Amino acid sequence: MQVRRRVLPGFGLTMGITVLYLSLIVLIPLATLPARTLTMSWAAFRDTVADPRVVASYRLSLGASLAAAAVNAVFGSVVAWVLARYSFPGRRVVDALIDLPFALPTAVAGIVLTTLYAPTGWLGAPLAKYGITVAFTPLGVTVALIFIGMPFVVRTLQPVIEDLDPEVEEAATSLGASRKEVLLRVVLPNLLPAWLTGFALAFARALGEYGSVVFISGNMPMRTEISPLLIVTKLEQYDYAGATAIAVVMLTLSFGLLLCINGLQAWARRRVAP
Amino acid sequence: MGLFLVVPLVAVFAEALSKGFDAYQSAIVDPDAFAALRLTLLAAAIAVPLNLVFGLAAGWTLGKFQFRGRQLLITLIDLPFAVSPVIAGLVFVLLFGRQGWLGPWAIDHGFEVVFAVPGIILATTFVSFPFVAREVIPIMEAIGTEEEEAARVLGAGGLQLFLRITLPNIKWAVLYGVILANARAMGEFGAVSVVSGHIRGVTNTLPLHVEILYNEYNAQAAFAVASLLACLAIVTLILKAVIETRVQGVATVVEESAVEVMPWESKSAV
């Protein structure tokens, strides 16, 4: 296992601490989930995870998360581009504010978004005139998920755009490429891995999000219940087996996404350092 | 797009002060709110140092050494990011709850975890777990091992080496990680909500207290307490911005020195 003799001390000690602590806090607790499911019969498991109310929650969770990640992928790349390429007064303030959804506790984000987008709220009232209700609808869930997913796309794209040399684009333009061609053939191929990573990160975060969504969604069965909420509902009814079954489905999804993200990041590294 | 972010922040304070300053003050000095604040601080005061020690250990192992399974270990450290906070809470209920594996034993020995303070601390530790490690591993890796090796050759002991050479190099990254971990620890809602049982004055953290007030249609008080958490967020952002400039300073130094050692460094790394 040892490739070359280690000069630095402390490998064994720090490795021990790392693995022990990781096991105690993360691995062993998470392992209880699949282990608990094994004690359920297959039929009971299937009945729980394929229950129409649960299926409706997957559909909302996946749909709203995808929509939110897509919106963030578009607007987030615009914001990242502006922040990376242009300097303007207040740039540093805007730059710091991008992380607000990350720093603001989700419960606070939840109640403030609900108040803002309620039919009587600052933003909800003007929208209600056009017949758009945001709070307590799937749209509200999506809005909350857009808010919390914002930083992910911006933060993954920003450093990559900063590393892009504007001279390459200028060279393409001087060789006769149109603005659209430069964007499609020069800029986008370079940004693609980071862009997909940001999208996947925002999607993964949205999928598991709970705090900011429970307030604005209204939690109506079949309509605005997200999967994490159903886990909590089942727990409150002391249906531990049911909660575990849904959690295993979600954990599998998140784990798949994590693998995708790691793959994307490895791809991005290979692209950056050929 | 900036508006999309700023309006909610302004609205928190506007709603909090909507009934005047006296109502704001009374919501904050309320004994339940005070107990919630104390529990939030306690949970963060235990979770963050634990994760700091872990982050430093992980940074040393994963940043300074190459070994098989290293990438897998890094992925596992990221796991708490990918897991829904609700699931994080659920696993501790499954472990330590009355029907859990360790629950009956722990309860027999007079040690309640779920619906009690230890559960909240565990859940907080779980969700703030990766932050320090994530910041420290890449910077340790980027700085490399030459300085430490030189110190070692000159006769420095392990601890001396770490305190005098490594720590000064990584201190901003560590602080950055600690601030992020702290923000997450103090603001966590989902995971803590599942294990807390919402016992007022006992197992309520600030975010949970916000929820209770809000669900009691006491929106003004909820926003008053929420404004405390919003202040925490603002302080976090400011500190983050300040430290970022420092970290970038370190990063450019690293890049410059990396250029010099590139030719043989890249060969030995592969």
Side-chain angles (χ1 to χ4, degrees), chain A residues 6 8-9 11 14-15 18 21-22 25 29 32 35-36 99-100 102-103 111-112 114-115 208 210-211 235 247 254 262, chain B residues 5 8 50-51 54 57-58 60-61 65 75 82 84-86 90-91 95 99 101 125-126 129 131 148 189 194 223 240:
Chain A
R6 295 196 171 95
L8 295 181
F11 178 74
T14 53
M15 185 63 158
T18 306
Y21 187 73
L22 178 73
I25 300 289
T32 57
R36 267 278 178 139
D99 284 323
L100 180 72
F102 181 75
I111 65 168
V112 75
T114 312
T115 309
Y210 174 70
L235 264 182
S254 320
N262 270 345
Chain B
L5 298 170
L50 275 178
N51 288 333
F54 161 74
W60 187 262
T61 296
F65 300 96
T75 307
S84 168
V86 170
L90 171 70
V91 295
L95 261 182
Q99 302 170 30
W101 286 350
T125 311
F126 183 96
F129 178 84
F131 288 95
E148 279 87 356
F189 175 73
V194 171
F223 277 106
K240 210 169 157 285

Side-chain angles (χ1 to χ4, degrees), chain B residues 200-224:
Chain B
R200 262 193 132 136
V202 183
T203 61
N204 245 354
T205 62
L206 274 186
L208 297 179
H209 192 59
V210 169
E211 183 203 15
I212 289 186
L213 290 171
Y214 188 80
N215 286 341
E216 285 172 350
Y217 300 102
N218 193 351
Q220 182 270 327
F223 277 106

Side-chain angles (χ1 to χ4, degrees), chain B residues 39-49 121 124 182 185-186:
Chain B
L39 181 57
T40 296
L41 292 177
L42 174 76
I46 294 176
V48 174
I121 293 170
T124 306
N182 182 59
M186 288 194 176

Side-chain angles (χ1 to χ4, degrees), chain A residues 1-4 6-19 21-33 35-36 39 71-72 75-76 79 92 94-117 122-123 136 143-144 146-148 150-151 155 162 201 204-205 207-212 214-215 227-229 231-232 235-236 238 240-241 243-251 254-255 257-259 261-262 265 269, chain B residues 1-2 4-12 14-15 47 50-51 53-54 56-62 64-68 71 73-95 97-101 114-115 122 125-126 129 131 134 145 148-149 152-153 157-158 161 176 180 183-184 186-191 193-194 198 207-208 210-211 214-215 219 222-223 225-227 229-230 232-234 236-238 240-242 244-245 248 268:
Chain A
M1 187 159 152
Q2 234 162 321
V3 180
R4 54 174 182 171
R6 295 196 171 95
V7 183
L8 295 181
F11 178 74
L13 176 72
T14 53
M15 185 63 158
I17 296 177
T18 306
V19 172
Y21 187 73
L22 178 73
S23 309
L24 281 180
I25 300 289
V26 179
L27 297 184
I28 294 173
L30 279 182
T32 57
L33 268 188
R36 267 278 178 139
T39 62
V71 171
N72 277 329
F75 286 100
V79 173
R92 293 208 42 191
V94 177
D95 194 44
L97 270 176
I98 295 295
D99 284 323
L100 180 72
F102 181 75
L104 195 68
T106 52
V108 178
I111 65 168
V112 75
L113 288 175
T114 312
T115 309
L116 281 175
Y117 287 101
W122 292 358
L123 300 171
F136 317 123
V143 168
I146 293 173
F147 182 80
I148 55 131
M150 239 308 251
R155 287 298 180 237
E162 273 164 11
L201 283 172
R205 173 70 204 266
L207 209 52
E209 179 56 19
Y210 174 70
S212 57
V214 283
F215 296 99
S227 303
L229 176 81
I231 297 178
V232 175
L235 264 182
E236 278 167 358
Y238 299 101
Y240 288 172
T244 311
I246 303 173
V248 165
V249 172
M250 293 208 57
L251 197 64
S254 320
F255 207 76
L257 270 172
L258 189 66
L259 289 179
I261 292 167
N262 270 345
Q265 276 168 343
R269 268 198 301 275
Chain B
M1 207 62 186
F4 187 70
L5 298 170
V6 176
V7 170
L9 193 59
V10 176
V12 170
E15 292 286 334
L50 275 178
N51 288 333
V53 171
F54 161 74
L56 291 176
W60 187 262
T61 296
L62 294 163
K64 300 284 186 196
F65 300 96
Q66 292 290 334
F67 53 90
R68 219 175 295 161
Q71 202 53 46
L73 205 53
I74 293 179
T75 307
L76 289 177
I77 289 174
D78 276 347
L79 255 184
F81 276 153
V83 172
S84 168
V86 170
I87 295 179
L90 171 70
V91 295
F92 290 110
V93 174
L94 289 182
L95 261 182
R98 273 180 195 286
Q99 302 170 30
W101 286 350
V114 173
F115 308 141
L122 269 177
T125 311
F126 183 96
F129 178 84
F131 288 95
R134 250 184 106 91
T145 56
E148 279 87 356
E149 279 163 7
R152 188 74 176 152
V153 169
L161 185 103
Y176 192 79
L180 295 187
R184 183 69 201 262
M186 288 194 176
E188 178 52 28
F189 175 73
S193 155
V194 171
H198 299 93
L208 297 179
V210 169
E211 183 203 15
Y214 188 80
N215 286 341
F223 277 106
V225 178
S227 73
L229 290 166
L232 168 75
I234 294 169
T236 304
L237 290 184
I238 293 173
K240 210 169 157 285
V242 171
E244 248 156 33
T245 53
Q248 269 159 15
S268 65

Side-chain angles (χ1 to χ4, degrees), chain A:
Chain A
M1 187 159 152
Q2 234 162 321
V3 180
R4 54 174 182 171
R5 215 175 66 82
R6 295 196 171 95
V7 183
L8 295 181
F11 178 74
L13 176 72
T14 53
M15 185 63 158
I17 296 177
T18 306
V19 172
L20 178 73
Y21 187 73
L22 178 73
S23 309
L24 281 180
I25 300 289
V26 179
L27 297 184
I28 294 173
L30 279 182
T32 57
L33 268 188
R36 267 278 178 139
T37 333
L38 289 179
T39 62
M40 285 175 89
S41 73
W42 169 243
F45 179 80
R46 198 190 48 207
D47 286 349
T48 312
V49 298
D51 178 67
R53 191 172 156 193
V54 180
V55 171
S57 82
Y58 302 143
R59 202 174 295 142
L60 175 66
S61 273
L62 285 172
S65 303
L66 263 181
V71 171
N72 277 329
V74 175
F75 286 100
S77 39
V78 175
V79 173
W81 186 266
V82 170
L83 283 175
R85 274 294 163 86
Y86 304 101
S87 68
F88 51 91
R91 199 194 75 92
R92 293 208 42 191
V93 177
V94 177
D95 194 44
L97 270 176
I98 295 295
D99 284 323
L100 180 72
F102 181 75
L104 195 68
T106 52
V108 178
I111 65 168
V112 75
L113 288 175
T114 312
T115 309
L116 281 175
Y117 287 101
T120 51
W122 292 358
L123 300 171
L127 286 171
K129 276 188 197 143
Y130 298 99
I132 306 169
T133 32
V134 179
F136 317 123
T137 66
L139 182 62
V141 176
T142 314
V143 168
L145 295 178
I146 293 173
F147 182 80
I148 55 131
M150 239 308 251
F152 291 93
V153 177
V154 180
R155 287 298 180 237
T156 36
L157 271 179
Q158 207 176 343
V160 183
I161 298 176
E162 273 164 11
D163 282 347
L164 276 185
D165 197 343
E167 279 174 25
V168 179
E169 289 154 52
E170 282 159 20
T173 311
S174 75
L175 292 171
S178 70
R179 195 67 205 142
K180 200 173 135 199
E181 274 175 315
V182 172
L183 196 68
L184 285 178
R185 315 262 308 252
V186 180
V187 177
L188 280 186
N190 278 313
L191 296 186
L192 193 63
W195 198 60
L196 286 175
T197 308
F199 177 83
L201 283 172
F203 182 58
R205 173 70 204 266
L207 209 52
E209 179 56 19
Y210 174 70
S212 57
V213 177
V214 283
F215 296 99
I216 203 166
S217 69
N219 306 328
M220 285 167 280
M222 304 297 292
R223 235 170 79 71
T224 59
E225 270 183 335
I226 52 166
S227 303
L229 176 81
L230 271 185
I231 297 178
V232 175
T233 314
K234 297 242 182 243
L235 264 182
E236 278 167 358
Q237 297 160 349
Y238 299 101
D239 179 6
Y240 288 172
T244 311
I246 303 173
V248 165
V249 172
M250 293 208 57
L251 197 64
T252 314
L253 266 176
S254 320
F255 207 76
L257 270 172
L258 189 66
L259 289 179
C260 284
I261 292 167
N262 270 345
L264 283 170
Q265 276 168 343
W267 181 37
R269 268 198 301 275
R270 277 200 304 276
R271 294 276 297 242
V272 172

